[in-house]
Amino acid sequence: MATAQSEQVPATLPRAERPGMTDKQMLVNVRGLRFCHGDRCIFDGIDLDIQRGRITAIMGPSGTGKTTLLKLISGQLHADAGTVEVDGQTIQELSRDALYQLRIRMGMLFQSGALLTDLNVFENVAFPIREHAKLPESVLRKLVLIKLEAVGLRGAAALMPSQLSGGMARRVALARAIALDPMMIMYDEPFTGQDPISMGVLVSLIRQLNDASEMTSIIVSHDVTETTSIADYLYIIANGQIMAEGTPQEVAANESDWVRQFMQGEPDGPVHYHYPAQTLEQDLLQSVRH
Amino acid sequence: MLDSLARLGRVGLAMLASLGRAHLLLISILRGLPSMLVRPRLLLVQIYGVGVLSLLIIVVSGLFVGMVLGLQGYYVLSQFGAAESLGVMVAASLVRELGPVVTALLFAGRAGSALTAEIGLMKATEQLSGLEMMAVDPVKRVLTPRFFAGLISMPLLAALFSAIGVIGGWFVGVGLLGIDDGAFWGQMQNKIDFDEDLVNGVIKSLAFGLVVTWIALYEGYDATPTSAGVSRATTRTVVQSALAILGLDFILTALMFGG
Amino acid sequence: MARIRLSEILVGVFMALGFVALFFLAMRVSNLSTAATGEGYNLTAKFDNIGSLRVRAPVTMAGVRLGRVEAIDFDQETYQALVTLRIEDRYDQIPTDTFANIFTAGLLGEQYIGLDPGGSPEVLGNGDRIEFTQSALVLEQMIGQFLLSKAEEGGE
């Protein structure tokens, strides 16, 4: 079994220098993507590829539309220009039914977990299986328990979502996302607001799931340390453009001041600490009038 | 001057757009009917939430409204020596107007606001997006059962309100004020017409049920997914429902009894 | 499971209560139980003035309800009101010389038709006409007459 790690193909070369790379090895191809909210363009001509069986991370400061990108890939939003291709199918051209068929093969882990609050943990994980596969109750029970075991929460099957901690809720949501054995799973800010222990648990879970079942993972995050520790490939997005891409090592060695500031977490640099304003002296003198 | 005209135009366009979205939503809710009929349990759970939980407030309010009608009606009617007509007065006002209208107002406050808050919070906590990502249509799965639960519950609640109200009026009129029992029921039966009064009352309550549930679901589904947005949407549900009920009541009354 | 069962039961109770209430309103409050009998035979009567008599007003004899007003038409030849009465089948012994009056229930109440039986051995059948009628008393006319007679008394 060729897992992502045993493969020695250098996935690190920039796209232009990978002529032999066929579309077969890419699960998601994004070309010339443009998405605008009124006058403000969140993405303005983005190209990116997600390789099968790898963990690809998309990073960037808050508010750069990383979650929007996931919604564009899953067809919840439609691009103003450009194409999004998943597994050879162009998302924009799919009918509603075909899109839903494709989504059965995608999993998504929402920032809040998005568990259905009126169902307990077991029923939440069973939900997609009940909706899309007609399984006898005994088989379904085994399947759900296996999925819960994979995230270490088999014992919590009877709890309601309100009784779970944030980290546990996210793990249950992960079990639900993998319930139908998808080809790809998208993580929306999986590390935000987690204590160090659940953060560690999540990091190792994501790595394990990806390697164990040849799944493709996309992580959207701004937590530099955790994300670089598990990602095979990184994209850094800001101001509607891709600022840098490559393996974590390559990105860390990037010459650009902006990328260095982001990766190192420096308070001042090309991105200024101060919100644009007139000088402090002017403001202080004016303040009397208010 | 031009600015305020532009603002007016913008508000008008926004309202039209919102109205359009509401109608599109209604159409997709109705499209979910076949898939809901396959799984009646979804409907049952919602009738519990929308109907059964509204039962107490409807029964208690119906009883008191009927008793007040009995008292007030008696004092007015006895001045004309027509206290025996109390039954007619109580039943006519309940079956034609108060039953459907007051029930709908209470229903908007009890069930409508709860629906908006629930849907709005499901949106805010990404549960609706989550359903969509699991290839489950949130409109069919979440909104359709709630819509039909409202549509079914409202006429039953209004009928209960009217029935309990008549009994409340009977208790005050016959039990406390000593009107003849036979006259109370007899005059009522003579004057309250099945087609003209009762059927029209049921049609009204159906229309109110549709409007209140529709507004509640639309406001929840269209809410800004923040805590402030959900609370604004809930308020809007109650206010808009109340206005819609009273306006629609005038139109329906004019159509039914005006001609 | 018990929770689902309980909600099922409660929904059942709710639906049953709702339908009982509808049934109560239909049978006890409205006229469905009395008016539902579409059976009966028709009599006609001509009145000079029916006042504010309306369709579905009761038709009574000795205070007992025998039927209701089925239709009100206008006879262009005699300039009278042509009233069709629907009488229930079981009341089939109404004499031919019966007298039809339009009465008012209470001072301001609705108007209804009261029948006074005659002495004829023959009875009315479907489509027959009641010959003897008395018009409704119109309040204004009564007050006018009352004032007139008072004025005459005063004048004497």
Side-chain angles (χ1 to χ4, degrees):
Chain A
M1 201 167 110
T3 61
Q5 279 170 327
S6 64
E7 238 176 277
Q8 289 304 310
V9 178
T12 56
L13 294 171
R15 204 172 14 261
E17 294 163 39
R18 281 184 255 148
M21 203 60 102
T22 58
D23 277 354
K24 285 273 182 227
Q25 281 156 298
M26 293 299 171
L27 184 62
V28 180
N29 296 292
V30 176
R31 288 291 171 273
L33 182 72
R34 218 175 114 86
F35 183 80
C36 300
H37 255 316
D39 298 338
R40 203 172 72 90
C41 281
I42 296 173
F43 300 118
D44 197 357
I46 281 191
D47 296 332
L48 55 82
D49 295 306
I50 310 288
Q51 204 184 342
R52 279 180 202 275
R54 295 289 172 113
I55 298 178
T56 306
I58 297 161
M59 302 177 67
S62 316
T64 42
K66 301 185 297 290
T67 306
T68 311
L69 184 62
L70 292 187
K71 290 192 168 173
L72 284 163
I73 292 175
S74 59
Q76 292 181 61
L77 292 174
H78 282 283
D80 294 320
T83 57
V84 176
E85 219 174 85
V86 177
D87 200 25
Q89 293 171 289
T90 308
I91 292 287
Q92 292 97 321
E93 293 166 1
L94 289 180
S95 71
R96 200 181 152 75
D97 286 344
L99 183 61
Y100 272 37
Q101 281 306 312
L102 185 62
R103 278 194 195 148
I104 295 176
R105 296 159 60 211
M106 296 181 184
M108 181 152 171
L109 183 72
F110 286 89
Q111 209 168 337
S112 59
L115 295 176
L116 298 169
T117 37
D118 52 346
L119 300 178
N120 67 17
V121 166
F122 181 92
E123 287 300 323
N124 258 295
V125 178
F127 185 86
I129 309 175
R130 285 194 205 280
E131 286 292 326
H132 298 299
K134 299 277 167 282
L135 292 180
E137 195 62 28
S138 59
V139 180
L140 179 114
R141 202 181 101 85
K142 281 182 194 123
L143 192 56
V144 171
L145 290 180
I146 290 170
K147 298 293 175 190
L148 280 173
E149 177 71 20
V151 297
L153 287 175
R154 189 166 40 82
L159 296 182
M160 294 303 282
S162 53
Q163 295 166 293
L164 300 176
S165 71
M168 282 159 81
R170 222 165 275 190
R171 275 150 73 192
V172 173
L174 187 52
R176 184 177 69 174
I178 58 170
L180 290 170
D181 293 319
M183 59 180 175
M184 158 173 119
I185 183 160
M186 292 176 274
Y187 301 90
D188 186 4
E189 301 282 3
F191 310 119
T192 312
Q194 299 291 309
D195 61 67
I197 298 174
S198 31
M199 187 106 88
V201 170
L202 275 167
V203 168
S204 65
L205 256 178
I206 292 173
R207 187 77 246 180
Q208 276 171 21
L209 284 172
N210 193 78
D211 297 348
S213 47
E214 284 183 87
M215 222 179 318
T216 307
S217 309
I218 306 175
I219 299 176
V220 146
S221 178
H222 51 232
D223 291 291
V224 175
T225 335
E226 288 74 25
T227 311
T228 47
S229 72
I230 52 169
D232 296 313
Y233 203 79
L234 288 181
Y235 284 95
I236 298 183
I237 299 181
N239 309 322
Q241 303 288 335
I242 291 183
M243 304 298 276
E245 63 174 295
T247 59
Q249 294 76 20
E250 285 173 334
V251 174
N254 196 296
E255 295 294 307
S256 143
D257 286 344
W258 190 94
V259 174
R260 194 169 328 121
Q261 189 194 353
F262 181 78
M263 294 300 281
Q264 311 290 328
E266 290 159 4
D268 213 344
V271 179
H272 293 293
Y273 169 69
H274 290 289
Y275 195 84
Q278 50 192 336
T279 64
L280 180 64
E281 289 78 7
Q282 281 174 332
D283 241 7
L284 289 176
L285 287 171
Q286 276 175 355
S287 66
V288 182
R289 278 184 237 146
H290 288 301
Chain B
M1 184 62 200
L2 277 177
D3 271 359
S4 53
L5 269 179
R7 204 173 306 130
L8 189 68
R10 206 160 46 231
V11 170
L13 283 177
M15 276 170 67
L16 275 180
S18 171
L19 206 61
R21 283 201 302 278
H23 279 87
L24 288 177
L25 183 69
L26 183 65
I27 290 169
S28 34
I29 285 174
L30 293 177
R31 281 220 189 106
L33 179 61
S35 57
M36 187 196 72
L37 291 178
V38 182
R39 302 168 72 174
R41 177 167 298 278
L42 291 177
L43 180 64
L44 181 119
V45 173
Q46 295 310 324
I47 293 183
Y48 179 80
V50 170
V52 175
L53 295 182
S54 308
L55 209 52
L56 185 70
I57 186 173
I58 295 293
V59 167
V60 172
S61 326
L63 187 68
F64 283 115
V65 167
M67 283 164 58
V68 168
L69 276 176
L71 273 179
Q72 294 282 14
Y74 179 79
Y75 289 122
V76 174
L77 289 173
S78 59
Q79 288 178 14
F80 299 103
E84 262 68 38
S85 300
L86 184 66
V88 183
M89 201 211 90
V90 170
S93 36
L94 278 171
V95 172
R96 283 182 170 196
E97 289 295 336
L98 292 178
V101 171
V102 177
T103 308
L105 290 174
L106 294 171
F107 184 75
R110 172 65 186 79
S113 58
L115 281 178
T116 304
E118 188 189 9
I119 306 279
L121 281 175
M122 284 183 85
K123 189 178 180 186
T125 54
E126 295 177 312
Q127 291 182 52
L128 295 183
S129 304
L131 285 175
E132 189 132 331
M133 274 314 295
M134 287 187 279
V136 173
D137 186 341
V139 173
K140 282 185 186 168
R141 173 76 195 201
V142 176
L143 299 194
T144 303
R146 283 168 175 76
F147 179 77
F148 284 98
L151 208 59
I152 292 171
S153 300
M154 191 35 221
L156 295 179
L157 288 171
L160 263 169
F161 185 94
S162 298
I164 302 268
V166 168
I167 291 171
W170 171 83
F171 174 72
V172 169
V174 176
L176 298 182
L177 300 171
I179 296 172
D180 179 53
D181 188 49
F184 185 87
W185 294 110
Q187 291 221 12
M188 197 191 298
Q189 285 196 0
N190 272 341
K191 294 287 161 54
I192 305 295
D193 189 62
F194 179 74
D195 293 330
E196 198 170 306
D197 295 316
L198 194 57
V199 172
N200 279 344
V202 172
I203 291 174
K204 269 188 184 179
S205 58
L206 259 175
F208 296 157
L210 184 141
V211 167
V212 171
T213 323
W214 182 16
I215 291 176
L217 292 179
Y218 170 70
E219 285 297 346
Y221 196 68
D222 204 52
T224 316
T226 59
S227 44
V230 173
S231 96
R232 264 202 310 277
T234 311
T235 312
R236 269 208 304 273
T237 292
V238 176
V239 173
Q240 290 183 2
S241 297
L243 292 178
I245 290 163
L246 297 172
L248 192 63
D249 183 50
F250 171 73
I251 295 171
L252 288 176
T253 307
L255 286 178
M256 288 167 174
F257 304 109
Chain C
M1 232 38 206
R3 224 165 53 95
I4 294 173
R5 181 109 188 98
L6 182 67
S7 73
E8 273 175 358
I9 293 169
L10 285 173
V11 168
V13 169
F14 165 64
M15 304 274 282
L17 274 178
F19 283 115
V20 165
L22 269 177
F23 185 76
F24 168 80
L25 290 177
M27 301 313 288
R28 196 71 214 262
V29 173
S30 86
N31 60 358
L32 188 65
S33 55
T34 51
T37 53
E39 315 282 300
Y41 61 97
N42 286 347
L43 300 178
T44 58
K46 282 184 177 172
F47 294 91
D48 292 334
N49 188 345
I50 58 166
S52 61
L53 186 74
R54 283 178 52 199
V55 173
R56 270 199 280 271
V59 176
T60 63
M61 186 181 282
V64 179
R65 186 182 168 124
L66 304 189
R68 58 189 170 86
V69 173
E70 175 82 2
I72 296 172
D73 294 301
F74 183 63
D75 186 336
Q76 296 234 30
E77 287 166 16
T78 59
Y79 302 109
Q80 283 179 307
L82 178 64
V83 178
T84 311
L85 315 176
R86 169 149 288 221
I87 310 293
E88 287 178 38
D89 276 332
R90 53 192 165 133
Y91 305 118
D92 55 359
Q93 296 295 321
I94 301 173
T96 47
D97 55 350
T98 293
F99 208 93
N101 301 289
I102 297 181
F103 291 132
T104 307
L107 190 57
L108 300 170
E110 289 214 3
Q111 291 185 304
Y112 66 97
I113 292 183
L115 301 179
D116 272 338
S120 166
E122 312 220 337
V123 295
L124 292 165
N126 188 24
D128 288 348
R129 213 182 106 193
I130 299 173
E131 298 289 342
F132 310 111
T133 62
Q134 192 193 347
S135 296
L137 287 175
V138 179
L139 197 62
E140 291 90 330
Q141 287 179 359
M142 282 166 63
I143 293 170
Q145 280 171 5
F146 175 73
L147 289 178
L148 209 64
S149 64
K150 277 287 174 197
E152 277 168 8
E153 275 174 32
E156 279 170 12

